[in-house]
Amino acid sequence: DCHDAELHDKRILNWHSKSIACQTCHIPAIARANPTKTWWDWSDAGQDRKPVLDADGMPDYDKKKGTFRWEKNVVPAYAWYDGVAGQYLLGDAMNPGEVTKLNWPQGNRTDPQSKIHPFKVMRGKQPYDKQRRVIAVPKLFGQGGYWKTWDWDKALAAGMQAVGQEYSGEFGFAETESWWKPNHMVAPKEMALKCIDCHGEGARMDWAALGYSGDPNSKRGISRYELSEAYKE
């Protein structure tokens, strides 16, 4: 929306922009300066233990919230995205043996409206109702809240009642993930990805996850050296 589609001097880059979002090349890593939280496990909350600080001063634990994991210079996950996201809704069935996606990008490689976008994938564990097999909502603060009682059962009973959901009285913790767009982490143009960052052995793209049988460039028989030279042209 801010500049022409045919912005680059190199034709191969303009050609790529038909199916690759600007952010994909211009956000080579997430959290380049300050760490970002990538894991949050609520099942560990409630313990009287001191947090350990990492090299950036970020804690690995909070009694109210559980354990955390922080990372810097995170290579994004990549997915086709058509501008519409799917969303887990309260009461939707889930399988505790699998990772429940709380939201996810929609789109695919055959959809002309879709482009490959970068995402931060936030993972963790949160409570679910074992009998009903739905994500459970706890009441955290105030009377009867978890941060007052340290009692998950009571907190979940109060929380589920507040959102109009039944609660069986039996809970566990299941792994979840959500997909976040890092649109505001654009790097200087000198740091933009080059051809060999995405193509060739050991490159960052998971082509199978994007719907390809392999690196689409390999079918053209172009070597990594030729890719480098093409980028320079």
Side-chain angles (χ1 to χ4, degrees), residues 8 10 12-13 16 20-30 32 74-78 116-119 185-199 203-205 207 227-228 231-232:
H8 303 94
K10 301 176 180 65
I12 192 172
L13 299 181
H16 272 65
I20 298 175
C22 301
Q23 298 95 314
T24 299
C25 292
H26 288 281
I27 302 179
I30 300 168
R32 298 190 307 277
V74 179
V75 174
Y78 297 97
I116 296 174
H117 280 253
F119 292 88
M185 295 192 183
V186 173
K189 64 179 182 180
E190 293 79 12
M191 296 175 62
L193 297 183
K194 306 298 188 292
C195 304
I196 58 176
D197 291 316
C198 298
H199 296 286
R204 62 174 58 203
M205 287 291 175
W207 295 113
L227 278 172
S228 299
Y231 180 83
K232 295 176 184 177

Side-chain angles (χ1 to χ4, degrees), residues 172-186:
F173 290 85
E175 189 169 343
T176 61
E177 70 177 33
S178 55
W179 290 61
W180 302 357
K181 295 187 297 177
N183 289 339
H184 297 284
M185 295 192 183
V186 173

Side-chain angles (χ1 to χ4, degrees), residues 26-232:
H26 288 281
I27 302 179
I30 300 168
R32 298 190 307 277
N34 300 311
T36 186
K37 189 181 294 179
T38 57
W39 175 260
W40 182 344
D41 187 347
W42 282 91
S43 69
D44 290 331
Q47 302 175 34
D48 290 316
R49 76 187 218 202
K50 291 183 178 180
V52 177
L53 304 183
D54 65 15
D56 294 295
M58 308 308 294
D60 70 343
Y61 185 73
D62 186 306
K63 182 177 180 179
K64 289 184 175 182
K65 300 177 180 180
T67 53
F68 310 128
R69 187 159 60 237
W70 305 82
E71 296 182 56
K72 289 176 68 174
N73 292 308
V74 179
V75 174
Y78 297 97
W80 292 100
Y81 180 52
D82 62 6
V84 179
Q87 183 75 45
Y88 177 90
L89 300 178
L90 287 175
D92 283 353
M94 49 80 75
N95 181 352
E98 299 177 353
V99 177
T100 299
K101 291 186 177 181
L102 303 181
N103 75 308
W104 58 93
Q106 296 188 160
N108 61 76
R109 59 172 292 209
T110 62
D111 174 16
Q113 302 302 316
S114 297
K115 291 187 176 184
I116 296 174
H117 280 253
F119 292 88
K120 169 189 169 179
V121 183
M122 177 66 187
R123 296 183 170 89
K125 287 184 179 180
Q126 58 193 84
Y128 77 98
D129 188 310
K130 278 191 171 183
Q131 292 188 26
R132 296 187 59 227
R133 289 199 166 196
V134 298
I135 297 295
V137 178
K139 178 179 181 180
L140 294 177
F141 52 89
Q143 185 176 0
Y146 181 71
W147 294 341
K148 291 284 188 180
T149 66
W150 307 115
D151 187 320
W152 277 117
D153 186 57
K154 291 180 179 179
L156 291 169
M160 292 294 270
Q161 181 181 20
V163 296
Q165 293 282 317
E166 296 180 15
Y167 172 56
S168 70
E170 188 176 359
F171 71 92
F173 290 85
E175 189 169 343
T176 61
E177 70 177 33
S178 55
W179 290 61
W180 302 357
K181 295 187 297 177
N183 289 339
H184 297 284
M185 295 192 183
V186 173
K189 64 179 182 180
E190 293 79 12
M191 296 175 62
L193 297 183
K194 306 298 188 292
C195 304
I196 58 176
D197 291 316
C198 298
H199 296 286
E201 185 178 354
R204 62 174 58 203
M205 287 291 175
D206 184 343
W207 295 113
L210 291 169
Y212 295 90
S213 58
D215 185 340
N217 180 68
S218 63
K219 296 180 180 179
R220 301 185 181 94
I222 303 175
S223 69
R224 288 170 65 87
Y225 171 76
E226 290 171 315
L227 278 172
S228 299
E229 293 303 304
Y231 180 83
K232 295 176 184 177

